[in-house]
Amino acid sequence: MLVAMTTDTPARLLQLLSLLQTPREWPGGELADRLGVSRRTVRRDVDRLRELGYPVQATRGTDGGYRLVAGKAMPPLVLDDEEAVAIAVGLRAGAGHAIEGVDEAAVRALAKLEQVLPSRLRHRVSTLQAATTPLTLGDGPTIAPETLTVMASTVAGHERLRFAYRDKDGSASRRLTEPHRLVSTGRRWYLVAYDVDRADWRTFRVDRVSDPFATGVRFAPREPPTGSAAEYLRQSIHRRQETYAFEVRFAAPAEQVAARVPAWVGVPEDDGTGGCVLRGTTGDPMEWLAVRLAMTGVEFTVRGPGGLVECVRRLGDRLTRAANAGPEGAQGAGGPSAPQVP
């Protein structure tokens, strides 16, 4: 934020810090002109920033110059309005989907940022978010960013969280929890929490949560039985579903296939013959995995299990019948085409 010229030292320091955070070197004379002070005052202000932990580097010369460099610790960051809005919108877009690499830390950052945003900037963020629609490649459900930020705030603040929950069979309930961690699997967000009413640990799919409410009641943190929230979730999912191992060979290099297969499905490995092999274990329906493999657009061969081989065969037969069924399926090159994206 650019602060009007003033003799107020704190405001001037904020303005100086905002300028220095621009990735360039600032001549001392230019900083003095921007701040409306003498070069000596600029030097004193730089010394104050250094005392606060900001690594300001000075260069020698006729005019001298200053730049902010990377340090061992991260002091408070100063953002102008446009930067704050851009970061908040970006974090919201990522938080709404369980995208690999956008994990609990990003959600915590969003919660902290939105907590300190002025109301006028929060309104701009909400307006921009409502006016845009992301085109995502993920297979998981979308989640309101507000839901994640409320949860992240209660996790960080050790505050009891109440919410409505819809189970897999559709039954609804109200839950009072002591939230421990938010965990992203790459497809979905989960909350690992201690269920107060049931006096036991539970995992909750966040896309089935509604009306999350921070009660304001603090609690003493406790650890799940496994010690790790990620491990507790893994064991919980494993207990609830039957898993199976699969192996698929693709007629393309691993790098090409990896770009078309979510990492949570598995990581392909080159087989030395120009192709690659994908091995993994999943509890997803075989029909779903068959479709996901076909969506890669790469020739592949299923080596196992037999049930997956049969699912791929049925899918191929079904698509062939659909392509050959009636005049609509026979339009081929002469029929209507899909909308083209420039």
Side-chain angles (χ1 to χ4, degrees), residues 12-13 16 20 26-49 66:
R12 193 177 64 247
L13 287 175
L16 174 59
L20 290 174
W26 289 88
E30 186 175 351
L31 287 176
D33 292 340
R34 290 285 192 112
L35 299 172
V37 297
S38 67
R39 296 187 185 186
R40 176 179 293 182
T41 300
V42 170
R43 288 195 294 270
R44 287 201 301 263
D45 287 349
V46 167
D47 288 338
R48 290 189 180 97
L49 289 179
Y66 302 94

Side-chain angles (χ1 to χ4, degrees), residues 214-227:
T215 65
V217 177
R218 306 287 179 176
F219 63 87
R222 63 179 92 199
E223 294 293 324
T226 58

Side-chain angles (χ1 to χ4, degrees), residues 87-141:
I87 291 175
V89 170
L91 288 172
R92 273 174 164 241
H97 304 264
I99 301 174
E100 185 181 8
V102 181
D103 55 11
E104 185 193 353
V107 178
R108 289 201 311 270
L110 176 60
K112 291 178 181 179
L113 181 58
E114 295 201 338
Q115 184 178 6
V116 299
L117 280 180
S119 58
R120 59 186 174 82
L121 294 187
R122 284 200 300 270
H123 176 71
R124 285 179 60 185
V125 171
S126 299
T127 300
L128 184 56
Q129 186 78 12
T132 58
T133 300
L135 180 61
T136 63
L137 299 177
D139 300 292

Side-chain angles (χ1 to χ4, degrees), residues 9-95:
T9 300
R12 193 177 64 247
L13 287 175
L14 284 175
Q15 184 182 359
L16 174 59
L17 180 58
S18 180
L19 292 171
L20 290 174
Q21 284 178 165
T22 303
R24 55 162 289 193
E25 181 170 307
W26 289 88
E30 186 175 351
L31 287 176
D33 292 340
R34 290 285 192 112
L35 299 172
V37 297
S38 67
R39 296 187 185 186
R40 176 179 293 182
T41 300
V42 170
R43 288 195 294 270
R44 287 201 301 263
D45 287 349
V46 167
D47 288 338
R48 290 189 180 97
L49 289 179
R50 288 169 175 161
E51 292 172 359
L52 293 172
Y54 293 93
V56 182
Q57 184 182 72
T59 57
R60 298 179 182 274
T62 54
D63 194 27
Y66 302 94
R67 68 165 61 241
L68 197 63
V69 298
K72 295 181 179 179
M74 188 177 119
L77 187 67
V78 176
L79 304 172
D80 63 27
D81 287 1
E82 300 303 323
E83 292 167 340
V85 169
I87 291 175
V89 170
L91 288 172
R92 273 174 164 241

Side-chain angles (χ1 to χ4, degrees), residues 4 11 16 41 82 88 98 102 138 150 161-162 202 220 278 283 313:
L16 174 59
T41 300
E82 300 303 323
V102 181
V150 169
L161 176 71
R162 189 183 298 276
R202 292 288 190 274
L278 177 67
R313 181 180 294 112

Side-chain angles (χ1 to χ4, degrees), residues 247-258 267-279 298-303:
E247 181 175 328
V248 181
R249 184 190 182 279
F250 290 91
E255 183 179 2
Q256 178 181 340
V257 175
V267 179
E269 299 179 356
D270 286 317
D271 61 5
T273 64
C276 66
V277 177
L278 177 67
R279 300 180 181 88
V298 178
E299 294 291 331
F300 66 92
T301 303
V302 178
R303 294 178 173 176

